[in-house]
Amino acid sequence: MSHALIVIDVQNDFCLNGALAVSGGHEVVSGINALMPGADAVVLTQDWHPAGHSSFASSHADEEPYKLTKMPYGDQVLWPDHCVQGTDGALFHADLNQDRADMIIRKGYNHSIDSYSAFFENDKKTPTGLEGYLRTREISKLVMVGLATDFCVNFSAVDAAKLGFHVTVNMDLCRAINMDGSLDAAIASMKAAGVTLA
Ligand code: VGL
Ligand code: ZN
């Protein structure tokens, strides 16, 4: 069965010294590169926000990063400004092998909706198009790796499993933000959705 390697958000802002640095983020890069030759398709996702995005704490009066707020579509963590379109922080880590990528899918570009998942924005219904891409390529098996385990990897893996894909998350090649128990909650939600954690 052909399988796609889905590489979530291995971008400068989530790595060492980045605006939303995930502890150990850079450590996953070489292992991810090593998985690429064995995959039938390689998809990179890229968090890609316009300046002033609604998920940024700086876009709201009296708000601070890492606090929870209410958006019309539900709860939303407010983040430091990160992965702003066209900035160095939004670029992939320089050592990530981009040449092997068949597809780069950007997300989070709608000003008023965040998008953790590579499949649907945080309103849970606006599609990114990745499902159609994978289905038209007749790919049903996904291996997911990248940043951050408890946000974009988790939401992508759970959505993919709900859509009927067979999903394995390679936990060694993921790193977490882990705030307020978010890693444990993510592991529980991935397991509940039928995602294999390897
Ligand atoms: C992510 C928070 C905000 C992620 C993206 O890639 O996990 N987390 N934007
Ligand atoms: Zn983001």
PDB file of all heavy atoms in Angstrom, residues 8-9 14 20 47 49 79 82 107 114 116 147-148 151-153 177, ligand 1:
ATOM      1  N   ILE A   8       4.939  17.890   9.336  1.00  0.00           N
ATOM      2  CA  ILE A   8       4.173  19.025   9.849  1.00  0.00           C
ATOM      3  C   ILE A   8       5.094  20.161  10.338  1.00  0.00           C
ATOM      4  O   ILE A   8       5.859  19.984  11.297  1.00  0.00           O
ATOM      5  CB  ILE A   8       3.264  18.571  11.027  1.00  0.00           C
ATOM      6  CG1 ILE A   8       2.369  17.375  10.650  1.00  0.00           C
ATOM      7  CG2 ILE A   8       2.447  19.742  11.567  1.00  0.00           C
ATOM      8  CD1 ILE A   8       1.232  17.674   9.717  1.00  0.00           C
ATOM      9  N   ASP A   9       5.027  21.302   9.680  1.00  0.00           N
ATOM     10  CA  ASP A   9       5.508  22.594  10.206  1.00  0.00           C
ATOM     11  C   ASP A   9       6.952  22.595  10.743  1.00  0.00           C
ATOM     12  O   ASP A   9       7.211  23.176  11.817  1.00  0.00           O
ATOM     13  CB  ASP A   9       4.565  23.100  11.319  1.00  0.00           C
ATOM     14  CG  ASP A   9       3.142  23.354  10.828  1.00  0.00           C
ATOM     15  OD1 ASP A   9       2.860  23.125   9.641  1.00  0.00           O
ATOM     16  OD2 ASP A   9       2.304  23.786  11.649  1.00  0.00           O
ATOM     17  N   PHE A  14       9.468  27.406  14.784  1.00  0.00           N
ATOM     18  CA  PHE A  14       9.210  26.343  15.755  1.00  0.00           C
ATOM     19  C   PHE A  14      10.503  25.663  16.207  1.00  0.00           C
ATOM     20  O   PHE A  14      10.461  24.724  16.999  1.00  0.00           O
ATOM     21  CB  PHE A  14       8.241  25.306  15.173  1.00  0.00           C
ATOM     22  CG  PHE A  14       6.886  25.867  14.827  1.00  0.00           C
ATOM     23  CD1 PHE A  14       6.397  25.799  13.532  1.00  0.00           C
ATOM     24  CD2 PHE A  14       6.108  26.484  15.796  1.00  0.00           C
ATOM     25  CE1 PHE A  14       5.152  26.318  13.212  1.00  0.00           C
ATOM     26  CE2 PHE A  14       4.859  27.009  15.494  1.00  0.00           C
ATOM     27  CZ  PHE A  14       4.381  26.928  14.190  1.00  0.00           C
ATOM     28  N   LEU A  20       8.223  30.867  18.231  1.00  0.00           N
ATOM     29  CA  LEU A  20       7.370  29.955  19.011  1.00  0.00           C
ATOM     30  C   LEU A  20       8.153  28.652  19.121  1.00  0.00           C
ATOM     31  O   LEU A  20       7.680  27.592  18.725  1.00  0.00           O
ATOM     32  CB  LEU A  20       6.033  29.746  18.278  1.00  0.00           C
ATOM     33  CG  LEU A  20       4.766  29.505  19.073  1.00  0.00           C
ATOM     34  CD1 LEU A  20       3.559  29.356  18.138  1.00  0.00           C
ATOM     35  CD2 LEU A  20       4.830  28.339  20.017  1.00  0.00           C
ATOM     36  N   ASP A  47       2.959  26.409   8.189  1.00  0.00           N
ATOM     37  CA  ASP A  47       2.118  27.381   8.889  1.00  0.00           C
ATOM     38  C   ASP A  47       2.409  28.739   8.241  1.00  0.00           C
ATOM     39  O   ASP A  47       3.574  29.127   8.102  1.00  0.00           O
ATOM     40  CB  ASP A  47       2.539  27.373  10.376  1.00  0.00           C
ATOM     41  CG  ASP A  47       1.405  27.685  11.334  1.00  0.00           C
ATOM     42  OD1 ASP A  47       0.270  27.236  11.107  1.00  0.00           O
ATOM     43  OD2 ASP A  47       1.667  28.387  12.341  1.00  0.00           O
ATOM     44  N   HIS A  49       0.871  32.480   8.209  1.00  0.00           N
ATOM     45  CA  HIS A  49      -0.099  33.470   8.679  1.00  0.00           C
ATOM     46  C   HIS A  49       0.165  34.866   8.100  1.00  0.00           C
ATOM     47  O   HIS A  49       1.321  35.313   8.056  1.00  0.00           O
ATOM     48  CB  HIS A  49      -0.020  33.602  10.207  1.00  0.00           C
ATOM     49  CG  HIS A  49      -0.291  32.340  10.961  1.00  0.00           C
ATOM     50  ND1 HIS A  49      -1.457  31.622  10.825  1.00  0.00           N
ATOM     51  CD2 HIS A  49       0.447  31.673  11.885  1.00  0.00           C
ATOM     52  CE1 HIS A  49      -1.418  30.572  11.637  1.00  0.00           C
ATOM     53  NE2 HIS A  49      -0.274  30.569  12.281  1.00  0.00           N
ATOM     54  N   TRP A  79      -1.085  33.023  20.475  1.00  0.00           N
ATOM     55  CA  TRP A  79       0.329  32.687  20.293  1.00  0.00           C
ATOM     56  C   TRP A  79       1.170  33.941  20.102  1.00  0.00           C
ATOM     57  O   TRP A  79       0.646  34.988  19.707  1.00  0.00           O
ATOM     58  CB  TRP A  79       0.481  31.800  19.052  1.00  0.00           C
ATOM     59  CG  TRP A  79      -0.287  30.529  19.131  1.00  0.00           C
ATOM     60  CD1 TRP A  79      -1.433  30.220  18.441  1.00  0.00           C
ATOM     61  CD2 TRP A  79      -0.001  29.396  19.960  1.00  0.00           C
ATOM     62  NE1 TRP A  79      -1.869  28.959  18.787  1.00  0.00           N
ATOM     63  CE2 TRP A  79      -1.009  28.440  19.702  1.00  0.00           C
ATOM     64  CE3 TRP A  79       1.008  29.098  20.875  1.00  0.00           C
ATOM     65  CZ2 TRP A  79      -1.033  27.198  20.352  1.00  0.00           C
ATOM     66  CZ3 TRP A  79       0.985  27.863  21.506  1.00  0.00           C
ATOM     67  CH2 TRP A  79      -0.025  26.932  21.248  1.00  0.00           C
ATOM     68  N   HIS A  82       4.112  34.444  14.817  1.00  0.00           N
ATOM     69  CA  HIS A  82       4.978  33.383  14.281  1.00  0.00           C
ATOM     70  C   HIS A  82       4.579  33.053  12.856  1.00  0.00           C
ATOM     71  O   HIS A  82       3.432  33.283  12.461  1.00  0.00           O
ATOM     72  CB  HIS A  82       4.878  32.123  15.155  1.00  0.00           C
ATOM     73  CG  HIS A  82       3.517  31.482  15.090  1.00  0.00           C
ATOM     74  ND1 HIS A  82       2.454  31.936  15.839  1.00  0.00           N
ATOM     75  CD2 HIS A  82       3.041  30.467  14.331  1.00  0.00           C
ATOM     76  CE1 HIS A  82       1.384  31.220  15.549  1.00  0.00           C
ATOM     77  NE2 HIS A  82       1.706  30.326  14.626  1.00  0.00           N
ATOM     78  N   LYS A 107      -1.169  26.596   5.436  1.00  0.00           N
ATOM     79  CA  LYS A 107      -2.383  26.664   6.251  1.00  0.00           C
ATOM     80  C   LYS A 107      -2.272  27.822   7.223  1.00  0.00           C
ATOM     81  O   LYS A 107      -1.167  28.273   7.522  1.00  0.00           O
ATOM     82  CB  LYS A 107      -2.590  25.348   7.005  1.00  0.00           C
ATOM     83  CG  LYS A 107      -1.437  25.032   7.937  1.00  0.00           C
ATOM     84  CD  LYS A 107      -1.584  23.677   8.586  1.00  0.00           C
ATOM     85  CE  LYS A 107      -0.463  23.408   9.548  1.00  0.00           C
ATOM     86  NZ  LYS A 107      -0.359  24.345  10.672  1.00  0.00           N
ATOM     87  N   ASP A 114      -7.603  30.179  12.709  1.00  0.00           N
ATOM     88  CA  ASP A 114      -6.334  29.463  12.774  1.00  0.00           C
ATOM     89  C   ASP A 114      -6.517  28.098  12.114  1.00  0.00           C
ATOM     90  O   ASP A 114      -7.642  27.663  11.837  1.00  0.00           O
ATOM     91  CB  ASP A 114      -5.900  29.304  14.242  1.00  0.00           C
ATOM     92  CG  ASP A 114      -4.390  29.129  14.364  1.00  0.00           C
ATOM     93  OD1 ASP A 114      -3.693  29.128  13.333  1.00  0.00           O
ATOM     94  OD2 ASP A 114      -3.905  28.998  15.515  1.00  0.00           O
ATOM     95  N   TYR A 116      -4.666  24.492  12.818  1.00  0.00           N
ATOM     96  CA  TYR A 116      -3.667  23.558  13.333  1.00  0.00           C
ATOM     97  C   TYR A 116      -3.552  22.347  12.405  1.00  0.00           C
ATOM     98  O   TYR A 116      -2.469  21.866  12.122  1.00  0.00           O
ATOM     99  CB  TYR A 116      -4.073  23.047  14.722  1.00  0.00           C
ATOM    100  CG  TYR A 116      -4.114  24.072  15.823  1.00  0.00           C
ATOM    101  CD1 TYR A 116      -5.002  23.931  16.885  1.00  0.00           C
ATOM    102  CD2 TYR A 116      -3.246  25.171  15.830  1.00  0.00           C
ATOM    103  CE1 TYR A 116      -5.040  24.841  17.923  1.00  0.00           C
ATOM    104  CE2 TYR A 116      -3.282  26.082  16.870  1.00  0.00           C
ATOM    105  CZ  TYR A 116      -4.184  25.921  17.912  1.00  0.00           C
ATOM    106  OH  TYR A 116      -4.226  26.821  18.945  1.00  0.00           O
ATOM    107  N   LEU A 147       6.177  19.134  14.021  1.00  0.00           N
ATOM    108  CA  LEU A 147       5.994  20.063  15.141  1.00  0.00           C
ATOM    109  C   LEU A 147       4.603  20.709  15.050  1.00  0.00           C
ATOM    110  O   LEU A 147       4.177  21.025  13.941  1.00  0.00           O
ATOM    111  CB  LEU A 147       7.062  21.158  15.061  1.00  0.00           C
ATOM    112  CG  LEU A 147       8.519  20.641  14.919  1.00  0.00           C
ATOM    113  CD1 LEU A 147       9.463  21.811  14.651  1.00  0.00           C
ATOM    114  CD2 LEU A 147       8.951  19.855  16.139  1.00  0.00           C
ATOM    115  N   ALA A 148       3.965  20.937  16.103  1.00  0.00           N
ATOM    116  CA  ALA A 148       4.268  20.415  17.416  1.00  0.00           C
ATOM    117  C   ALA A 148       3.337  19.233  17.699  1.00  0.00           C
ATOM    118  O   ALA A 148       2.171  19.251  17.307  1.00  0.00           O
ATOM    119  CB  ALA A 148       4.059  21.495  18.472  1.00  0.00           C
ATOM    120  N   PHE A 151      -0.179  20.095  19.067  1.00  0.00           N
ATOM    121  CA  PHE A 151      -1.060  20.992  18.321  1.00  0.00           C
ATOM    122  C   PHE A 151      -1.191  20.522  16.874  1.00  0.00           C
ATOM    123  O   PHE A 151      -2.093  19.750  16.558  1.00  0.00           O
ATOM    124  CB  PHE A 151      -0.601  22.461  18.467  1.00  0.00           C
ATOM    125  CG  PHE A 151      -0.911  22.972  19.847  1.00  0.00           C
ATOM    126  CD1 PHE A 151       0.021  22.860  20.876  1.00  0.00           C
ATOM    127  CD2 PHE A 151      -2.159  23.482  20.140  1.00  0.00           C
ATOM    128  CE1 PHE A 151      -0.289  23.267  22.176  1.00  0.00           C
ATOM    129  CE2 PHE A 151      -2.491  23.890  21.425  1.00  0.00           C
ATOM    130  CZ  PHE A 151      -1.548  23.794  22.446  1.00  0.00           C
ATOM    131  N   CYS A 152      -0.320  20.955  16.004  1.00  0.00           N
ATOM    132  CA  CYS A 152      -0.569  20.667  14.584  1.00  0.00           C
ATOM    133  C   CYS A 152      -0.452  19.193  14.222  1.00  0.00           C
ATOM    134  O   CYS A 152      -1.203  18.709  13.371  1.00  0.00           O
ATOM    135  CB  CYS A 152       0.310  21.560  13.716  1.00  0.00           C
ATOM    136  SG  CYS A 152      -0.214  23.288  13.857  1.00  0.00           S
ATOM    137  N   VAL A 153       0.460  18.445  14.856  1.00  0.00           N
ATOM    138  CA  VAL A 153       0.533  17.007  14.563  1.00  0.00           C
ATOM    139  C   VAL A 153      -0.734  16.321  15.061  1.00  0.00           C
ATOM    140  O   VAL A 153      -1.385  15.557  14.331  1.00  0.00           O
ATOM    141  CB  VAL A 153       1.789  16.367  15.189  1.00  0.00           C
ATOM    142  CG1 VAL A 153       1.782  14.854  14.969  1.00  0.00           C
ATOM    143  CG2 VAL A 153       3.059  16.991  14.610  1.00  0.00           C
ATOM    144  N   ILE A 177       4.924  21.327  22.423  1.00  0.00           N
ATOM    145  CA  ILE A 177       4.937  22.598  23.162  1.00  0.00           C
ATOM    146  C   ILE A 177       4.672  22.271  24.635  1.00  0.00           C
ATOM    147  O   ILE A 177       5.332  22.762  25.519  1.00  0.00           O
ATOM    148  CB  ILE A 177       3.868  23.563  22.586  1.00  0.00           C
ATOM    149  CG1 ILE A 177       4.238  23.954  21.145  1.00  0.00           C
ATOM    150  CG2 ILE A 177       3.726  24.800  23.479  1.00  0.00           C
ATOM    151  CD1 ILE A 177       3.158  24.740  20.403  1.00  0.00           C
TER     152      ILE A 177
HETATM  153  C1  VGL B   1       1.430  25.342  15.681  1.00  0.00           C
HETATM  154  C2  VGL B   1       0.706  26.763  17.309  1.00  0.00           C
HETATM  155  C3  VGL B   1       0.416  27.735  16.376  1.00  0.00           C
HETATM  156  C4  VGL B   1       1.998  24.004  15.336  1.00  0.00           C
HETATM  157  C5  VGL B   1       1.142  26.288  14.725  1.00  0.00           C
HETATM  158  O1  VGL B   1       2.608  23.866  14.259  1.00  0.00           O
HETATM  159  O2  VGL B   1       1.845  23.065  16.157  1.00  0.00           O
HETATM  160  N1  VGL B   1       1.200  25.587  16.969  1.00  0.00           N
HETATM  161  N2  VGL B   1       0.645  27.479  15.078  1.00  0.00           N
END
